[in-house]
Structure formats: structure tokens, C-alpha cells
Amino acid sequence: MNTAHNIAVYAVTPKGVALARTLVDALGGSIFMPARMIEADAPEHETGFENLRACVADTFSTFSTHIFITAAGIAVRAIAPHLVSKDVDPAVIVMDQKGQHVVSLLSGHLGGANDMASTLAQLVGGVPVITTATDTEKLPSLDVIAAQAGCAIYNLNAVKHVNGALLAGEKVVLDDPADVLGLKRGEYSELFIPAELVPFSEEDVPSVVVSWRSAELLEPEEKTLLLHPKVLCVGVGAKRGISADVVNSCIQEIFEKHDMALESISCLASVDAKANEQGILDVAESLKVPFVTFAADILDTVDVPNPSDAPKQAVGTKSVAEAAALHCASLKHGARLVVEKQKGDGVTVAIALEI
């Protein structure tokens, strides 16, 4: 099964299969069709099924995009048992076998179905059918903007309050000091009120807060959408053979102690000598962030508050955790330490903020 392009296309008629092949030739992916329609020399990316619903049950969580060249009702009945929530459901698009109408059916924003529908329509000369209200009104959708800015959404349910306010013509309070979302300027700036201009109110008003501070500290109200930007670089120094549990526990404790959001971690960083340290690699994988390393002579030039002779003798730099965190953060922006090095059982952690 070819999942390289992570697109599954389902077709149930000869014309539908022909259109599916056109789509896959252009975009990649896999085609699923009734077994009776599979040719003897069919390519690897074409698979036959006896029952469409059973096929979708097997593929729904495997592919990030599902394209049904069928009636909309067929698609709805096939996917219905597998739907979970808008933050995890894949994109689903439905189109007729002539490619005249391309309907974004599910996960239009976070899953990317709206964009895919537009791409497919352009490819086959059809009409994209987009029904999400913010798109039809040409308004920003905060879940899309958050994803584009690389922010993690803490409370997805709050999106409906913010988007609803924009649709009603109400301005939304925006607390985004670094303008991570880019909403303080440009075409949408008039739709938001900077938080610093709003007098304190006990009323829960639709608002957006962009912060690397933890939700436990900020305690967002029901109508407050909390977004965590990826701006914290975690520097890690460790003894050889350190376990993932020890590294993870140290990071968790430090973040909790300093009221920081784990969702705001952009990367783990260390010295090149630790590039293959499996414990750190495993933690990076569990956090879904990259693990990057730098040469000791580069880290040795970084000005840090707590240099030490021990790492200098061991790996050739006066600092690992602090220097790696600062250097990594400064590659994209300026940087400052928000947590100086903290020592655990065989592990040292420091955290730098991209500014």
C-alpha cells in the first residue's frame, strides 16, 4: 500500500476510476476500487475491495486525506463510524465522477480539506464547494491561522466562540505581544482589539491569547482561545546511556515548576557528542519535536551564565545545556534564557526563549 503521499482515493465506477488515476498521477496516493475492476497488471497503488465500508474501516486512520469519487451519501455512511473530533479526523473530499463539483466534506480547516478541494477542482476543471462559514465570509479562521503560525491549540472548543464573534461582526480581544499570528497588521488587523487597550472585565469575552505559559497558570475562560507558540528551545546535557524516563521526568518537572507549556517546545538541543543518545532521541520523538546538535567549538563561543570545566574536559565546551538552548533559539530570532541550567539524575536542562 502506497502511503507516501498519504492520499486515499475511492472510486466505484469506471469513469470514477479513470478520474482517480488522473488525480493520483498528479498528486500521488493510493486508489481503492471494487475488486472486480482491478486489472491483472494493476500497479501496486491500486487495491481492490469487496466492501467499501470495510475498506474505509482499514484505511481511515492510515491516510490523512480521503477522496471519494462517489455520491456524498456513500462517503458519509462509510466514514461515519470512524469520526472522533475535528482536531484528529482526516480530510475528506467528495467529488462526482465527472469532476464537476469538489466538496470539502470533513476537516476543512485543520485537516486541510478546503485547500485540497480547491487544488482538486483546479486540477480537473471543477468547482470547489466550501461550506465553512469563515471561508464563505472571507474571514480568518483561528484554527487555520494557529496551524499556519505553528501554534498548538490548547482548547479547541474555544475556536467556535472566537470564529462566531468574527462572523457576528464583533471584534475579538487579541493578546499576542510578539504578533506570532501576524494579526496586528495586514487585512485582518481591524477585526481585533489589542488586549492592552481593553480595560479589565470579569465578563468572559471572545479572545485569543498566545503564550508559552501553561494553561494551569493562565486559566483560560470558556471563550478564550489559548495558543502555545513553538518558541522554547530545551538544551539537554546528559551522561552516556541516560534513559528517556529520566530526561522526560526532568523536563516535565522544570516546565511544571516554572509554569511553562510543554506544547511550546520547539526542539531539544545538545552537543554533537550526544547526537546518538537514544534517551534524548526518544523524548524528542514523544514530544514530536526535532533533536538538534551543534559542534562543541560553536557552543564554546556562546556566552552563558554558568560555564563549567566539567563539560569542557568531557566534550570540549564550557556549557552544553545553556549554550545549546541559546544557540538553537538564536538561529531564528534573538534568544534569552528563561531557565538557567537545572541538574537532575545524570541530566542537565536549560531553556531558552526565542525573542
Side-chain angles (χ1 to χ4, degrees):
M1 183 181 295
N2 175 23
T3 60
H5 296 274
N6 227 5
I7 298 173
V9 186
Y10 309 90
V12 294
T13 66
K15 286 186 178 180
V17 170
L19 180 57
R21 287 170 176 156
T22 297
L23 301 182
V24 169
D25 284 346
L27 303 175
S30 298
I31 300 173
F32 298 89
M33 67 186 80
R36 68 180 184 279
M37 299 175 65
I38 286 287
E39 299 172 359
D41 58 347
E44 183 181 356
H45 64 265
E46 294 187 2
T47 301
F49 59 77
E50 297 298 334
N51 181 283
L52 177 60
R53 292 193 196 184
C55 175
V56 173
D58 291 336
T59 60
F60 196 69
S61 61
T62 303
F63 294 86
S64 62
T65 300
H66 298 263
I67 303 169
F68 288 83
I69 306 176
T70 67
I74 291 175
V76 169
R77 292 184 180 92
I79 67 173
H82 314 294
L83 303 185
V84 179
S85 64
K86 65 185 295 181
D87 57 329
V88 297
D89 289 336
V92 178
I93 299 95
V94 179
M95 56 196 302
D96 62 271
Q97 65 179 13
K98 290 185 177 181
Q100 293 177 319
H101 298 96
V102 186
V103 184
S104 173
L105 186 65
L106 183 72
S107 291
H109 287 155
L110 292 180
N114 288 355
D115 289 340
M116 178 58 78
S118 296
T119 297
L120 293 173
Q122 186 175 22
L123 181 64
V124 300
V127 177
V129 181
I130 310 297
T131 59
T132 42
T134 50
D135 294 274
T136 59
E137 296 298 323
K138 300 189 184 304
L139 291 170
S141 180
L142 268 297
D143 46 356
V144 173
I145 289 175
Q148 291 173 341
C151 292
I153 300 176
Y154 169 73
N155 49 348
L156 189 60
N157 284 338
V159 170
K160 64 185 178 184
H161 296 293
V162 174
N163 285 351
L166 294 174
L167 287 166
E170 303 171 10
K171 290 193 175 182
V172 171
V173 177
L174 177 63
D175 185 359
D176 184 9
D179 197 22
V180 173
L181 301 179
L183 294 174
K184 291 186 175 181
R185 58 187 186 275
E187 61 179 318
Y188 299 132
S189 60
E190 296 300 317
L191 302 176
F192 299 89
I193 306 174
E196 57 268 24
L197 301 181
V198 179
F200 175 78
S201 172
E202 293 186 357
E203 183 182 358
D204 182 16
V205 298
S207 57
V208 180
V209 175
V210 183
S211 176
W212 47 273
R213 289 297 185 182
S214 68
E216 289 72 20
L217 175 68
L218 299 176
E219 297 183 335
E221 299 282 353
E222 180 184 0
K223 296 180 182 179
T224 298
L225 176 63
L226 176 57
L227 306 176
H228 293 306
K230 300 286 187 180
V231 293
L232 298 177
C233 296
V234 179
V236 182
K239 66 181 182 181
R240 183 176 301 175
I242 193 74
S243 74
D245 287 343
V246 170
V247 176
N248 185 61
S249 177
C250 185
I251 292 174
Q252 296 265 0
E253 289 176 8
I254 291 172
F255 269 71
E256 182 176 352
K257 177 181 177 181
H258 294 274
D259 296 311
M260 299 184 299
L262 288 167
E263 296 86 349
S264 281
I265 296 177
S266 64
C267 68
L268 302 189
S270 191
V271 67
D272 279 350
K274 298 299 174 182
N276 296 315
E277 197 65 62
Q278 195 59 49
I280 305 176
L281 287 166
D282 289 345
V283 173
E285 182 178 2
S286 69
L287 292 170
K288 298 181 180 179
V289 298
F291 175 41
V292 296
T293 61
F294 305 98
D297 57 348
I298 291 177
L299 295 185
D300 199 41
T301 65
V302 179
D303 187 23
V304 296
N306 300 290
S308 173
D309 288 336
K312 181 72 172 178
Q313 295 175 1
V315 293
T317 172
K318 63 182 180 295
S319 170
V320 174
E322 289 181 341
L326 280 168
H327 182 66
C328 185
S330 67
L331 292 178
K332 291 187 283 187
H333 305 281
R336 67 179 177 89
L337 276 182
V338 289
V339 177
E340 295 185 6
K341 70 177 182 180
Q342 307 279 307
K343 292 186 176 181
D345 184 15
V347 61
T348 303
V349 170
I351 303 167
L353 171 67
E354 300 171 7
I355 56 176

